[in-house]
Amino acid sequence: MVKFSKQFEGQLVPEWKEAFVDYWQLKKDLKKIPILNTDNNATNKNKNKNKNKDSCFTNDLISSIRKLPFFGPQRREHGVIQVHTKLAQTLSKGDLYETEVLEQFADTEAAAEFFALLDLQLNKVNKFFRTKEKEFVERGESLKKQMEILIELKAALKQHHDIGTSSGQNLKEDESISGIISCDEESTKDRTEQEQDIENSIDEVNKNDGQLTDSPRSSELGKSTSIKREDSKSKSLSERVINIQGKSLKIHIPLTNPTRTFSAISYLLRDDMINQSSKKCGTDGRKLHINRTKLKHAEKMIRGAFIELYKGLGFLKTYRNLNMLAFVKILKKFDKVTNKQVLPIYLRVVESSYFNSSDKALKLADDVEKIFIKHFAEDDKKKAMKYLKPAQKKESHAVTFFIGLFTGCFLALFVGYVIMAHITGMYKPQSDTIYMETIYPILSMFSLMFLHFFLYGCNIFMWRKTRVNYSFIFELAQTKELKYRDVFLICTASMSAVVGVLVLHLTLVAKGYSYNQTQAIPGLLLLVFIMLLVCPFNIIYKSSRYRFICVIRNIILSPLYKVVMLDFFMADQLCSQVPMLRNLEYVACYYITGSYKTQDYGYCMRTKYYRDLAYAVSFLPYYWRAMQCARRWFDEGHKSHLVNLGKYVSAMLAAGAKVAYEKEKNIGWLCLVVVMSSAATVYQLYWDFVKDWGLLQCHSKNPWLRNELMLRRKIYYYFSMGLNLVLRLAWLQTVLHYNFGSVDYRVTGLFLAALEVIRRGQWNFYRLENEHLNNAGKFRAVKTVPLPFHEVDEQD
């Protein structure tokens, strides 16, 4: 049977862990009482018989007095303890509880300490529940107003459509209704000033200094005051103030992708051309068109906000039930240890406390459910529950079976490939040049890619074990996210296929088949993987493949897309995969240019454009990451992003020095490589340890670490810092050119590239751990979706 403490830890909301009852500390305090009781019993045995008789006489006298009518009702009411209620200094804290011990325990002082801690936990739970409930209720009221505005606008658009249809007008697909843009101080500015205002007002929701997920939905639960702060901001291209049916509204559609950004800019340019003669509002104001597309964006935002609110209310319900159960369990243990009847007395207080008696959250959850069913699910409750309460994907034993099967196949094929390669001497300096120049890059590319993917599966396993909420940080759908078993299955199956094809190719080469007949095989293997990645059919984890393609698109088009946590996390992974990208580029050139037909493997190396592109590939991951830092600084205004940008600029300078040294190997370029690479390494190590991992805190209770640690043993953190330091120095191979015996230099390069991938794998765990602790420090367990409509005071 699983202990309650394990069940309690497994079911609580990870980000709210500090707000739950500290069940483990209560158990520790409870253990003091029986130990002290034993000591007192041993002491009592040494007392003389006269003192025993006196104590017996005193106990009999006290018990007889308690039976008197005057004392009877009070004792029956209070019993062993009495819980006093007093008002807190502020209304937000509600009532405070304080327990008075009325009877003698084996160790009364230890019992008093236990109840003091118990009162502290009860007051903490009530305060947190009251705070979160207030936030959710305010969010719910805001969403209800948003829903009313959306319904009103949709009705107006429908009425406009009906009027146009009855009058015989030729309506377009993007038919719209017109409102009046409010005329205020901002509307009288010059266009240059408006453009400056636009740059400073993009999506204020993401101003959390990178502590959560850096996404437009990752700030704390919205309050009504945050709407007022947004209204006081200058209007961006995505924010328009209209007046329709007696209401002045600000429409805010975040500019999260290039399409919205360019469309907003083009709208401004058209509007500027039409109204270039007048910079101030006229009597009628400037017209604004609200079309179906904008309403769909607004509806999507409101629907996502309802889903997140419902999720938060579910977490609050879990918080209530688990805390109630924890109080019951610890009081039962106390009664069992002390042989007193404390449970009924204290439990009445817990049941009547605010966190258990308030029903505002339950009523709000019912309202959200009704609104969602009516307006977003076409009165279909089953359809609505798919969004509000998505079912967890069931784990199949078949996945585990196939992981084992493909692992065995991969190991057998890999051993066979190594033996065949050793017999044929493929990986020695005097090996077959054509094979090493054409086939080996494909093996290297797939090996690095799936090694990285395998380490990601290991990261998922460790994140789940340590209760790091990676799904929330990456904004992954619970029903579609990859579990660690899925990742391992993809890795083992893919590598089995890769090594199997390479074994077949090497077998054909060893039997004397010409390269004209065999060179197309590795190219076909790469083509099959690309086709599987872009396959439009719902097979082989379609949602994950589509999300991966979207993330790569966001990275390549940086800084046009708004940067979220998953985007810059993936860009960091690409910074560790430069050798894989260069191999991919070479293989693409080899097969696209048709060099595989003539075995002219040196054609791409002789072509100037290819060489320039090869150098660009070495810089691109760092450039993309630097552009993401620039976009985040543009959106959020935090100077730390500029400092982070400097880290990637230093990495690009170091890479440029290495490229120049490869061209002209002289002492001058060598000194520049050493200086630039050393400076970049120190920069990166500081950012890894201090910013990304949150370690090296001087005043931490854990020396040179941080106060909160997810792993139990501190040695893991010290070892990881040391390993990260050693692996960061892999660039020394550029200077030393050390080879392992008679192994080909390309095999040595693969080994060093694999070490960098391993370094990135262990970096990933601590990066997400630090991100999770930042979320837990601010009790962020649900996202806040920005709302599209904001009412504006007409006097403003």
Side-chain angles (χ1 to χ4, degrees):
M1 184 177 179
V2 181
K3 292 183 178 181
F4 173 74
S5 58
K6 295 290 185 181
Q7 294 178 345
F8 184 66
E9 185 176 12
Q11 296 177 16
L12 57 79
V13 183
E15 289 79 8
W16 294 356
K17 184 176 181 179
E18 295 299 320
F20 277 82
V21 175
D22 195 348
Y23 184 78
W24 301 271
Q25 185 61 45
L26 288 171
K27 284 181 65 177
K28 289 181 181 179
D29 283 11
L30 189 58
K31 289 179 180 178
K32 298 178 182 178
I33 298 176
I35 295 174
L36 295 172
N37 189 20
T38 304
D39 296 339
N40 289 339
N41 288 337
T43 305
N44 289 336
K45 290 181 180 179
N46 297 326
K47 291 183 178 180
N48 54 49
K49 295 180 180 180
N50 293 331
K51 290 185 177 181
N52 288 335
K53 292 180 180 179
D54 291 341
S55 63
C56 292
F57 175 75
T58 303
N59 292 335
D60 293 339
L61 181 61
I62 292 173
S63 61
S64 61
I65 292 174
R66 286 177 180 171
K67 294 179 181 179
L68 294 176
F70 179 77
F71 289 94
Q74 187 176 7
R75 288 303 106 193
R76 284 194 299 270
E77 181 181 356
H78 299 299
V80 183
I81 60 172
Q82 182 177 4
V83 183
H84 301 284
T85 304
K86 60 180 182 179
L87 295 177
Q89 296 179 352
T90 58
L91 296 176
S92 61
K93 294 183 179 179
D95 296 334
L96 298 179
Y97 299 97
E98 185 176 325
T99 303
E100 178 186 359
V101 179
L102 300 179
E103 289 191 2
Q104 294 293 322
F105 289 83
D107 190 286
T108 306
E109 184 177 352
E113 291 179 0
F114 172 81
F115 283 110
L117 179 60
L118 193 64
D119 294 336
L120 180 65
Q121 298 300 314
L122 179 58
N123 294 329
K124 178 184 73 173
V125 169
N126 279 319
K127 179 183 176 182
F128 181 81
F129 187 89
R130 188 185 297 271
T131 303
K132 282 298 175 184
E133 183 186 63
K134 182 181 178 182
E135 291 179 357
F136 288 141
V137 169
E138 289 178 352
R139 183 69 170 177
E141 293 299 324
S142 299
L143 279 173
K144 289 178 183 177
K145 292 180 181 179
Q146 296 283 313
M147 199 67 231
E148 292 174 0
I149 295 170
L150 179 64
I151 294 172
E152 187 177 355
L153 289 175
K154 290 175 73 173
L157 190 63
K158 185 177 184 300
Q159 183 180 7
H160 175 72
H161 176 271
D162 294 340
I163 293 174
T165 304
S166 61
S167 61
Q169 295 179 5
N170 187 16
L171 296 177
K172 298 180 181 179
E173 286 249 345
D174 60 342
E175 59 182 277
S176 60
I177 55 176
S178 297
I180 304 301
I181 300 180
S182 296
C183 180
D184 52 14
E185 294 180 359
E186 268 75 18
S187 64
T188 62
K189 291 184 178 180
D190 292 333
R191 291 302 178 187
T192 305
E193 294 175 347
Q194 288 183 8
E195 291 175 0
Q196 293 175 355
D197 293 336
I198 291 162
E199 294 177 355
N200 295 325
S201 60
I202 296 179
D203 199 8
E204 168 180 348
V205 182
N206 193 24
K207 282 191 175 181
N208 286 326
D209 196 17
Q211 291 183 344
L212 179 57
T213 63
D214 302 281
S215 79
R217 300 183 296 171
S218 62
S219 59
E220 294 183 49
L221 286 168
K223 300 181 180 179
S224 59
T225 56
S226 66
I227 298 177
K228 295 179 182 178
R229 287 196 297 270
E230 288 181 8
D231 291 345
S232 64
K233 285 283 185 182
S234 59
K235 297 173 183 63
S236 71
L237 287 175
S238 61
E239 295 178 350
R240 303 291 184 188
V241 179
I242 71 166
N243 187 286
I244 182 170
Q245 298 186 13
K247 290 184 179 180
S248 294
L249 303 174
K250 179 189 291 184
I251 302 178
H252 180 189
I253 306 296
L255 308 178
T256 55
N257 57 49
T259 303
R260 294 182 189 176
T261 303
F262 292 146
S263 63
I265 293 175
S266 62
Y267 176 87
L268 178 62
L269 293 175
R270 290 196 308 268
D271 186 64
D272 197 16
M273 293 175 63
I274 295 172
N275 300 282
Q276 57 183 337
S277 60
S278 61
K279 293 184 178 179
K280 293 186 177 181
C281 292
T283 56
D284 296 332
R286 291 186 289 117
K287 294 285 183 175
L288 170 68
H289 299 283
I290 306 174
N291 53 25
R292 292 184 182 275
T293 304
K294 287 186 178 180
L295 284 183
K296 284 183 179 180
H297 284 311
E299 184 176 2
K300 185 177 180 181
M301 293 168 66
I302 295 173
R303 183 183 65 179
F306 270 115
I307 292 173
E308 292 300 322
L309 176 61
Y310 193 83
K311 185 189 299 183
L313 293 171
F315 287 158
L316 202 60
K317 183 179 179 182
T318 301
Y319 180 81
R320 173 197 303 223
N321 295 337
L322 284 179
N323 281 318
M324 190 67 196
L325 190 58
F327 278 117
V328 172
K329 289 290 184 179
I330 199 65
L331 289 171
K332 282 184 177 180
K333 287 182 178 292
F334 184 87
D335 287 357
K336 184 177 180 181
V337 168
T338 60
N339 199 21
K340 303 285 186 178
Q341 296 298 320
V342 173
L343 174 63
I345 303 171
Y346 203 92
L347 194 58
R348 283 198 298 269
V349 177
V350 175
E351 289 175 344
S352 62
S353 63
Y354 187 84
F355 89 93
N356 188 63
S357 59
S358 177
D359 60 347
K360 293 181 182 179
L362 296 177
K363 291 181 179 179
L364 180 58
D366 293 337
D367 292 342
V368 171
E369 191 173 316
K370 292 177 182 177
I371 293 173
F372 198 91
I373 292 173
K374 181 178 180 180
H375 297 287
F376 299 107
E378 301 174 352
D379 292 326
D380 188 350
K381 185 175 181 179
K382 186 176 181 180
K383 180 181 178 181
M385 288 300 105
K386 289 182 180 179
Y387 294 97
L388 296 177
K389 291 183 179 179
Q392 294 286 344
K393 187 171 65 173
K394 295 181 180 179
E395 297 183 357
S396 174
H397 293 292
V399 175
T400 306
F401 168 77
F402 282 110
I403 290 174
L405 177 64
F406 287 123
T407 301
C409 294
F410 166 70
L411 292 176
L413 291 170
F414 182 74
V415 171
Y417 179 75
V418 171
I419 294 174
M420 292 178 63
H422 177 71
I423 294 174
T424 56
M426 288 295 179
Y427 292 144
K428 293 181 180 180
Q430 299 80 20
S431 60
D432 189 341
T433 306
I434 297 179
Y435 185 87
M436 290 301 298
E437 292 289 348
T438 57
I439 308 304
Y440 179 73
I442 292 181
L443 174 62
S444 176
M445 177 184 63
F446 281 115
S447 299
L448 292 175
M449 182 170 60
F450 288 112
L451 173 63
H452 207 142
F453 203 44
F454 173 79
L455 292 175
Y456 174 68
C458 296
N459 286 143
I460 293 177
F461 176 80
M462 290 301 300
W463 290 331
R464 290 186 62 181
K465 189 173 182 180
T466 55
R467 300 279 290 165
V468 173
N469 197 353
Y470 68 96
S471 300
F472 171 62
I473 295 173
F474 288 146
E475 301 184 42
L476 301 176
Q478 295 181 357
T479 57
K480 299 178 181 179
E481 65 171 321
L482 290 177
K483 308 297 184 182
Y484 69 92
R485 288 188 178 89
D486 299 319
V487 175
F488 291 155
L489 177 61
I490 294 172
C491 291
T492 54
S494 300
M495 285 307 297
S496 296
V498 170
V499 178
V501 170
L502 292 180
V503 168
L504 174 63
H505 178 269
L506 188 59
T507 303
L508 295 177
V509 172
K511 287 186 176 180
Y513 286 85
S514 65
Y515 279 101
N516 289 331
Q517 299 172 301
T518 59
Q519 285 296 87
I521 295 177
L524 291 174
L525 174 66
L526 179 60
L527 182 62
V528 168
F529 273 96
I530 294 176
M531 292 178 64
L532 287 176
L533 179 63
V534 299
C535 178
F537 302 108
N538 191 16
I539 57 173
I540 313 178
Y541 307 104
K542 177 186 174 182
S543 60
S544 298
R545 290 188 285 108
Y546 177 77
R547 186 68 181 272
F548 175 77
I549 294 173
C550 290
V551 170
I552 296 298
R553 177 205 60 192
N554 296 351
I555 294 172
I556 293 174
L557 296 180
S558 299
L560 298 179
Y561 278 92
K562 189 168 186 66
V563 182
V564 297
M565 177 71 183
L566 188 59
D567 291 342
F568 72 75
F569 185 83
M570 180 60 72
D572 278 326
Q573 311 307 305
L574 293 179
C575 291
S576 296
Q577 286 285 12
V578 172
M580 186 269 291
L581 294 176
R582 295 192 66 170
N583 287 331
L584 177 61
E585 181 214 7
Y586 174 79
V587 171
C589 175
Y590 181 71
Y591 284 99
I592 291 175
T593 59
S595 299
Y596 72 97
K597 297 179 181 178
T598 60
Q599 290 82 55
D600 187 7
Y601 60 85
Y603 173 78
C604 294
M605 300 302 296
R606 295 192 304 270
T607 306
K608 181 179 182 301
Y609 296 107
Y610 171 80
R611 293 199 306 270
D612 295 340
L613 183 60
Y615 297 142
V617 168
S618 301
F619 294 93
L620 274 177
Y622 302 106
Y623 167 77
W624 290 330
R625 192 65 186 90
M627 289 299 98
Q628 288 180 336
C629 293
R631 175 62 191 260
R632 291 182 65 192
W633 170 77
F634 180 78
D635 290 344
E636 303 170 23
H638 298 298
K639 295 181 179 178
S640 60
H641 298 311
L642 292 180
V643 181
N644 195 17
L645 185 148
K647 180 184 71 172
Y648 295 102
V649 171
S650 68
M652 285 191 283
L653 293 176
K658 292 176 186 177
V659 171
Y661 175 66
E662 290 177 359
K663 288 184 177 180
E664 301 179 13
K665 295 187 177 181
N666 54 51
I667 191 64
W669 283 113
L670 178 61
C671 293
L672 185 61
V673 168
V674 172
V675 171
M676 295 301 301
S677 298
S678 299
T681 300
V682 173
Y683 205 157
Q684 292 163 354
L685 286 173
Y686 166 78
W687 204 267
D688 286 346
F689 297 153
V690 178
K691 298 296 183 179
D692 290 336
W693 294 2
L695 304 177
L696 297 181
Q697 296 182 7
C698 300
H699 303 290
S700 172
K701 64 182 180 181
N702 302 307
W704 299 107
L705 300 178
R706 63 173 110 84
N707 290 329
E708 298 295 331
L709 302 175
M710 302 294 290
L711 300 179
R712 295 181 180 179
R713 297 186 179 182
K714 302 176 186 177
I715 188 64
Y716 295 145
Y717 295 91
Y718 296 120
F719 174 78
S720 296
M721 285 193 292
L723 181 62
N724 191 72
L725 170 63
V726 173
L727 296 180
R728 278 286 189 188
L729 298 175
W731 59 268
L732 290 173
Q733 172 65 16
T734 307
V735 179
L736 300 177
H737 293 288
Y738 180 79
N739 290 325
F740 298 93
S742 59
V743 179
D744 190 276
Y745 74 94
R746 282 161 290 215
V747 180
T748 305
L750 174 60
F751 176 75
L752 294 175
L755 290 180
E756 170 59 21
V757 171
I758 293 172
R759 186 200 67 80
R760 180 63 65 180
Q762 61 110 23
W763 178 91
N764 290 341
F765 173 80
Y766 297 106
R767 178 68 181 88
L768 264 290
E769 179 197 19
N770 187 42
E771 194 75 19
H772 173 80
L773 291 175
N774 289 333
N775 293 343
K778 295 187 177 181
F779 303 108
R780 289 191 293 244
V782 291
K783 313 176 193 73
T784 299
V785 181
L787 303 179
F789 306 116
H790 303 289
E791 293 189 26
V792 181
D793 189 354
E794 293 182 357
Q795 295 178 356
D796 292 344

